[in-house]
Amino acid sequence: MSCDDDVCITCSDQAVPMVVEQLDAASGLATCIDSDGARAEVDVTLVDAAVGATVLVHAGAAIA
């Protein structure tokens, strides 16, 4: 694997774009939804997230 592959070279997971539906700024967690309608609790402490924003999620954390 290389940095040009579409998956993480450490865990083989992909980053997924998700939209923030609910945000709990105190805990740093957000409920997000992907394009298929699947919801997930996401750690957003590494990014400036807002309801309605699209974040890139990898391994349960928003990275962009």
Side-chain angles (χ1 to χ4, degrees):
M1 289 190 143
S2 72
C3 292
D4 297 326
D5 291 331
D6 290 335
V7 295
C8 174
I9 61 173
T10 303
C11 66
S12 299
D13 197 7
Q14 294 181 333
V16 178
M18 299 185 85
V19 177
V20 177
E21 284 192 318
Q22 295 179 336
L23 179 63
D24 181 358
S27 70
L29 297 175
T31 301
C32 298
I33 187 169
D34 69 13
S35 62
D36 293 329
R39 287 181 172 77
E41 186 174 74
V42 175
D43 179 342
V44 293
T45 56
L46 298 176
V47 299
D48 291 325
V51 173
T54 300
V55 293
L56 192 59
V57 178
H58 172 73
I63 58 173

